[in-house]
Amino acid sequence: MNIEKLKDLEAEFFDTYPNGFDDEKLVKLMKKFSPEKLETFAKESFAKENFSDPHFIVEAYFKTIQKSFMVSLFDKLKLRDIFKELTSYEKDMFSIELYELLHGNKKNGFEGLVEFLAEFRMAKWTLVTLVPYCMNRQREYFVKPTTTKDIIKYLEIPDLIYKPRPSYEFYKAYSKVLNSTKSKVDKQLSYDNAAFTGFLRMSILICNEQ
């Protein structure tokens, strides 16, 4: 990783937004982001006891996706149409995979959810990683393709190759890199993992424009 470039991003961010995420220029954006509300909804919806009702879990998953402005409208509409047609068996299978991802064997759940969504050509990073992130915003990462590719390229991160189809191996390696990166910048930039990658993305855009 190019630490010098990372420190440049940090400096550019604070030059543009002196008060960090509390800067007046970012307040409106952060209100729209509202991660606290998504966290509350997700933790209530995906408590272990709720997985006895697969229909509820499927509805809650879609509502979480729908509430987030980080997922494209196109994906929301397509997912809505797909979920309307799910059979009871398919809802059971989806619920099982999501339970594993959130409360059981994370690797198996991640890969199982990818396989499930792939059947409908919807195995996308945003759809796989949003709910885990909402459940634990300081530990899990929301993976957005453009942001991820920009971070890897700009910071010159070796041996980390992004691919459109989600994989647990990449997620684990990318998370390790981001955790290391967080430790090298001001703490107020990493209070929330999506905000942290957002800081990197915004700063990269600023630097590229110069």
Side-chain angles (χ1 to χ4, degrees):
M1 181 193 303
N2 191 319
I3 302 300
E4 184 176 346
K5 279 191 170 184
L6 174 62
K7 300 310 289 185
D8 286 342
L9 293 181
E10 182 180 26
E12 287 294 342
F13 184 81
F14 283 116
D15 281 347
T16 306
Y17 309 107
N19 295 316
F21 287 105
D22 291 325
D23 196 276
E24 185 177 348
K25 299 175 185 177
L26 288 179
V27 169
K28 288 184 179 179
L29 175 62
M30 297 311 294
K31 284 184 178 179
K32 183 179 180 182
F33 178 44
S34 62
E36 295 83 4
K37 291 182 180 179
L38 271 177
E39 180 181 34
T40 299
F41 179 79
K43 286 184 174 179
E44 291 176 353
S45 298
F46 302 112
K48 288 184 178 181
E49 59 270 20
N50 291 336
F51 281 83
S52 60
D53 185 350
H55 177 76
F56 173 83
I57 292 299
V58 169
E59 289 292 318
Y61 172 84
F62 177 69
K63 286 179 181 178
T64 306
I65 299 295
Q66 189 178 43
K67 288 173 181 289
S68 174
F69 87 102
M70 298 188 294
V71 178
S72 73
L73 178 60
F74 174 81
D75 286 344
K76 290 177 182 179
L77 294 176
K78 191 170 182 181
L79 191 67
R80 178 197 64 188
D81 293 341
I82 290 170
F83 276 18
K84 281 182 178 179
E85 303 299 324
L86 290 182
T87 64
S88 295
Y89 173 77
E90 288 170 331
K91 290 179 180 179
D92 285 345
M93 292 300 99
F94 178 87
S95 181
I96 288 171
E97 302 300 355
L98 190 60
Y99 180 89
E100 284 299 310
L101 176 59
L102 301 179
H103 302 296
N105 186 307
K106 185 176 177 180
K107 181 178 185 294
N108 289 346
F110 190 104
E111 294 175 347
L113 187 59
V114 170
E115 289 295 331
F116 182 93
L117 292 172
E119 292 293 321
F120 305 94
R121 297 183 179 179
M122 290 295 284
K124 300 189 176 186
W125 279 105
T126 52
L127 300 183
V128 175
T129 60
L130 179 64
V131 170
Y133 156 73
C134 291
M135 293 286 283
N136 195 330
R137 297 186 293 120
Q138 285 72 45
R139 180 178 178 181
E140 305 294 344
Y141 287 94
F142 173 74
V143 179
K144 198 168 180 65
T146 302
T147 297
T148 302
K149 288 183 285 186
D150 284 350
I151 291 172
I152 293 172
K153 180 180 179 180
Y154 192 87
L155 294 181
E156 301 171 7
I157 301 171
D159 305 321
L160 195 58
I161 301 173
Y162 169 85
K163 293 182 180 179
R165 183 184 172 103
S167 72
Y168 184 72
E169 287 72 20
F170 178 89
Y171 180 80
K172 188 176 180 180
Y174 184 49
S175 297
K176 184 177 180 179
V177 168
L178 291 177
N179 286 336
S180 175
T181 306
K182 282 198 301 183
S183 69
K184 296 175 174 62
V185 297
D186 193 296
K187 289 184 178 181
Q188 66 175 298
L189 297 175
S190 58
Y191 74 95
D192 173 286
N193 282 348
F196 174 67
T197 54
F199 136 68
L200 292 174
R201 167 68 172 163
M202 286 187 285
S203 301
I204 288 170
L205 289 175
I206 293 170
C207 289
N208 285 341
E209 289 174 357
Q210 295 177 350

